[in-house]
Short mmCIF file of all heavy atoms in Angstrom, two decimals:
data_model
loop_
_atom_site.label_atom_id
_atom_site.label_comp_id
_atom_site.label_asym_id
_atom_site.label_seq_id
_atom_site.Cartn_x
_atom_site.Cartn_y
_atom_site.Cartn_z
N LEU A 188 34.38 -19.70 -10.66
CA LEU A 188 35.83 -19.15 -10.31
C LEU A 188 36.09 -17.82 -10.82
O LEU A 188 37.17 -17.27 -10.61
CB LEU A 188 36.80 -20.18 -11.02
CG LEU A 188 36.77 -21.59 -10.49
CD1 LEU A 188 37.83 -22.47 -11.24
CD2 LEU A 188 36.88 -21.66 -8.96
N ASP A 189 35.01 -17.02 -11.23
CA ASP A 189 35.11 -15.63 -11.57
C ASP A 189 35.85 -14.94 -10.28
O ASP A 189 35.26 -15.04 -9.33
CB ASP A 189 33.84 -14.94 -11.86
CG ASP A 189 33.13 -15.73 -13.18
OD1 ASP A 189 33.89 -16.65 -13.67
OD2 ASP A 189 32.17 -15.25 -13.50
N GLY A 190 36.81 -14.24 -10.64
CA GLY A 190 37.45 -13.47 -9.44
C GLY A 190 38.09 -14.24 -8.41
O GLY A 190 38.58 -13.61 -7.40
N ARG A 191 38.23 -15.59 -8.69
CA ARG A 191 38.88 -16.35 -7.44
C ARG A 191 40.38 -16.13 -7.44
O ARG A 191 41.04 -15.96 -8.46
CB ARG A 191 38.64 -17.86 -7.71
CG ARG A 191 37.42 -18.46 -6.98
CD ARG A 191 37.51 -18.44 -5.55
NE ARG A 191 38.48 -19.23 -4.81
CZ ARG A 191 38.09 -20.32 -4.56
NH1 ARG A 191 36.85 -20.94 -4.75
NH2 ARG A 191 39.01 -21.25 -3.81
N LEU A 192 40.85 -16.13 -6.18
CA LEU A 192 42.28 -16.08 -6.09
C LEU A 192 42.86 -17.43 -6.12
O LEU A 192 42.51 -18.39 -5.46
CB LEU A 192 42.67 -15.45 -4.77
CG LEU A 192 44.18 -15.37 -4.28
CD1 LEU A 192 44.92 -14.57 -5.21
CD2 LEU A 192 44.32 -14.96 -2.85
N LEU A 193 43.68 -17.73 -7.17
CA LEU A 193 44.11 -19.22 -7.51
C LEU A 193 45.41 -19.38 -7.17
O LEU A 193 45.89 -20.56 -7.09
CB LEU A 193 43.73 -19.35 -8.91
CG LEU A 193 42.26 -19.41 -9.31
CD1 LEU A 193 42.07 -19.55 -10.84
CD2 LEU A 193 41.48 -20.52 -8.61
N TYR A 194 46.44 -18.41 -7.08
CA TYR A 194 47.75 -18.70 -7.00
C TYR A 194 48.33 -17.49 -5.98
O TYR A 194 47.74 -16.54 -5.87
CB TYR A 194 48.44 -18.51 -8.30
CG TYR A 194 47.85 -19.28 -9.39
CD1 TYR A 194 47.03 -18.73 -10.27
CD2 TYR A 194 48.15 -20.61 -9.50
CE1 TYR A 194 46.46 -19.61 -11.28
CE2 TYR A 194 47.66 -21.42 -10.46
CZ TYR A 194 46.74 -20.91 -11.33
OH TYR A 194 46.24 -21.68 -12.29
N PRO A 195 49.36 -18.07 -5.16
CA PRO A 195 49.95 -17.03 -4.32
C PRO A 195 50.55 -15.89 -5.12
O PRO A 195 51.01 -16.17 -6.25
CB PRO A 195 51.20 -17.87 -3.71
CG PRO A 195 50.74 -19.24 -3.96
CD PRO A 195 50.01 -19.29 -5.19
N GLN A 196 50.42 -14.67 -4.54
CA GLN A 196 51.02 -13.49 -5.04
C GLN A 196 51.70 -12.60 -4.12
O GLN A 196 51.31 -12.61 -3.03
CB GLN A 196 49.86 -12.63 -5.85
CG GLN A 196 48.92 -13.46 -6.79
CD GLN A 196 47.87 -12.58 -7.41
OE1 GLN A 196 47.78 -11.40 -7.06
NE2 GLN A 196 46.92 -13.22 -8.12
N VAL A 197 52.92 -11.98 -4.59
CA VAL A 197 53.46 -11.05 -3.64
C VAL A 197 53.95 -9.81 -4.45
O VAL A 197 53.93 -9.70 -5.63
CB VAL A 197 54.81 -11.71 -3.15
CG1 VAL A 197 54.54 -13.07 -2.52
CG2 VAL A 197 55.90 -11.95 -4.29
N ARG A 198 54.15 -8.78 -3.72
CA ARG A 198 54.74 -7.48 -4.23
C ARG A 198 56.24 -7.58 -4.08
O ARG A 198 56.71 -7.73 -2.95
CB ARG A 198 54.13 -6.34 -3.43
CG ARG A 198 52.57 -6.15 -3.82
CD ARG A 198 52.18 -4.80 -3.00
NE ARG A 198 50.76 -4.87 -2.85
CZ ARG A 198 49.82 -4.75 -3.76
NH1 ARG A 198 50.07 -4.44 -4.96
NH2 ARG A 198 48.56 -4.84 -3.54
N ALA A 199 56.84 -7.22 -5.18
CA ALA A 199 58.34 -7.34 -5.05
C ALA A 199 58.69 -6.09 -4.13
O ALA A 199 59.64 -6.34 -3.23
CB ALA A 199 58.95 -6.92 -6.51
N ALA A 200 58.10 -4.99 -4.12
CA ALA A 200 58.33 -3.84 -3.16
C ALA A 200 57.02 -3.23 -2.96
O ALA A 200 56.06 -3.46 -3.64
CB ALA A 200 59.34 -2.87 -3.84
N ALA A 201 57.00 -2.49 -1.91
CA ALA A 201 55.71 -1.68 -1.53
C ALA A 201 55.40 -0.98 -2.85
O ALA A 201 56.32 -0.29 -3.54
CB ALA A 201 55.95 -0.70 -0.42
N GLY A 202 54.11 -0.80 -3.15
CA GLY A 202 53.64 -0.07 -4.33
C GLY A 202 53.81 -0.72 -5.61
O GLY A 202 53.15 -0.66 -6.62
N ALA A 203 54.72 -1.87 -5.66
CA ALA A 203 54.79 -2.71 -6.87
C ALA A 203 53.57 -3.55 -7.02
O ALA A 203 52.85 -3.79 -6.06
CB ALA A 203 55.97 -3.57 -6.77
N PRO A 204 53.24 -3.98 -8.33
CA PRO A 204 51.99 -4.79 -8.45
C PRO A 204 52.25 -6.13 -7.91
O PRO A 204 53.41 -6.69 -7.72
CB PRO A 204 51.94 -4.95 -10.08
CG PRO A 204 53.34 -4.66 -10.44
CD PRO A 204 53.96 -3.80 -9.41
N LEU A 205 51.10 -6.90 -7.62
CA LEU A 205 51.23 -8.22 -7.09
C LEU A 205 51.64 -9.12 -8.34
O LEU A 205 51.19 -9.04 -9.39
CB LEU A 205 49.83 -8.68 -6.60
CG LEU A 205 49.46 -8.24 -5.16
CD1 LEU A 205 48.00 -8.21 -4.97
CD2 LEU A 205 50.30 -8.83 -4.20
N GLU A 206 52.51 -10.07 -7.89
CA GLU A 206 52.94 -11.00 -8.98
C GLU A 206 52.89 -12.39 -8.49
O GLU A 206 53.20 -12.73 -7.35
CB GLU A 206 54.40 -10.69 -9.45
CG GLU A 206 54.50 -9.43 -10.27
CD GLU A 206 56.03 -8.94 -10.37
OE1 GLU A 206 56.87 -9.58 -9.68
OE2 GLU A 206 56.19 -7.87 -11.00
N ARG A 207 52.59 -13.39 -9.41
CA ARG A 207 52.38 -14.78 -8.87
C ARG A 207 53.75 -15.33 -8.63
O ARG A 207 54.90 -15.10 -9.18
CB ARG A 207 51.84 -15.55 -10.16
CG ARG A 207 51.74 -17.07 -9.82
CD ARG A 207 51.11 -17.77 -10.97
NE ARG A 207 51.04 -19.25 -10.78
CZ ARG A 207 50.62 -20.08 -11.46
NH1 ARG A 207 50.05 -19.76 -12.62
NH2 ARG A 207 50.76 -21.47 -11.19
N VAL A 208 53.78 -16.12 -7.44
CA VAL A 208 54.96 -16.70 -6.98
C VAL A 208 54.62 -18.22 -6.63
O VAL A 208 53.40 -18.46 -6.52
CB VAL A 208 55.63 -16.02 -5.81
CG1 VAL A 208 56.11 -14.64 -6.32
CG2 VAL A 208 54.70 -15.95 -4.72
N SER A 209 55.55 -18.97 -6.29
CA SER A 209 55.26 -20.36 -5.80
C SER A 209 54.89 -20.31 -4.41
O SER A 209 55.11 -19.34 -3.71
CB SER A 209 56.56 -21.18 -5.90
OG SER A 209 57.54 -20.57 -4.86
N TRP A 210 54.15 -21.36 -4.05
CA TRP A 210 53.76 -21.35 -2.54
C TRP A 210 55.01 -21.26 -1.70
O TRP A 210 55.02 -20.65 -0.73
CB TRP A 210 53.07 -22.72 -2.27
CG TRP A 210 51.56 -22.52 -2.40
CD1 TRP A 210 50.74 -23.09 -3.19
CD2 TRP A 210 50.62 -21.82 -1.42
NE1 TRP A 210 49.44 -22.86 -2.97
CE2 TRP A 210 49.43 -22.04 -1.87
CE3 TRP A 210 50.88 -21.16 -0.21
CZ2 TRP A 210 48.30 -21.49 -1.18
CZ3 TRP A 210 49.84 -20.54 0.39
CH2 TRP A 210 48.53 -20.81 -0.05
N ASP A 211 56.02 -21.93 -2.13
CA ASP A 211 57.23 -21.87 -1.41
C ASP A 211 57.79 -20.49 -1.03
O ASP A 211 57.90 -20.17 0.18
CB ASP A 211 58.29 -22.71 -2.06
CG ASP A 211 59.10 -23.58 -1.07
OD1 ASP A 211 58.42 -24.17 -0.25
OD2 ASP A 211 60.24 -23.63 -1.38
N ALA A 212 57.78 -19.76 -2.13
CA ALA A 212 58.32 -18.38 -2.03
C ALA A 212 57.41 -17.64 -1.11
O ALA A 212 57.89 -16.89 -0.21
CB ALA A 212 58.47 -17.82 -3.39
N ALA A 213 56.06 -17.83 -1.44
CA ALA A 213 55.21 -16.88 -0.55
C ALA A 213 55.15 -17.27 0.90
O ALA A 213 55.29 -16.38 1.76
CB ALA A 213 53.71 -17.13 -1.17
N LEU A 214 55.22 -18.53 1.20
CA LEU A 214 55.19 -18.97 2.62
C LEU A 214 56.41 -18.54 3.31
O LEU A 214 56.48 -18.03 4.46
CB LEU A 214 55.06 -20.49 2.77
CG LEU A 214 53.83 -20.98 2.27
CD1 LEU A 214 53.69 -22.52 2.06
CD2 LEU A 214 52.67 -20.66 3.38
N GLU A 215 57.53 -18.62 2.46
CA GLU A 215 58.99 -18.22 3.04
C GLU A 215 58.83 -16.68 3.39
O GLU A 215 59.30 -16.20 4.48
CB GLU A 215 59.96 -18.43 2.02
CG GLU A 215 61.28 -18.63 2.59
CD GLU A 215 61.39 -19.61 3.73
OE1 GLU A 215 60.84 -20.79 3.62
OE2 GLU A 215 61.72 -19.28 4.94
N ARG A 216 58.09 -15.91 2.49
CA ARG A 216 58.00 -14.41 2.70
C ARG A 216 57.23 -14.27 3.98
O ARG A 216 57.63 -13.35 4.85
CB ARG A 216 57.36 -13.70 1.59
CG ARG A 216 58.18 -13.42 0.30
CD ARG A 216 58.98 -12.07 0.76
NE ARG A 216 58.17 -10.82 0.75
CZ ARG A 216 57.77 -10.10 -0.36
NH1 ARG A 216 58.36 -10.47 -1.60
NH2 ARG A 216 57.06 -9.10 -0.35
N VAL A 217 56.21 -14.91 4.18
CA VAL A 217 55.28 -14.68 5.37
C VAL A 217 56.18 -15.10 6.66
O VAL A 217 56.26 -14.29 7.55
CB VAL A 217 54.11 -15.64 5.25
CG1 VAL A 217 53.20 -15.36 6.54
CG2 VAL A 217 53.18 -15.28 3.98
N ALA A 218 56.73 -16.30 6.62
CA ALA A 218 57.30 -16.76 7.83
C ALA A 218 58.54 -15.86 8.16
O ALA A 218 58.63 -15.46 9.31
CB ALA A 218 57.87 -18.18 7.57
#
Side-chain angles (χ1 to χ4, degrees):
Chain A
L188 297 182
D189 301 354
R191 263 305 281 273
L192 175 62
L193 297 172
Y194 307 98
Q196 301 176 10
V197 304
R198 292 185 204 280
L205 284 160
E206 285 162 3
R207 177 177 173 179
V208 295
S209 70
W210 265 111
D211 221 39
L214 292 165
E215 206 49 51
R216 276 280 291 271
V217 179

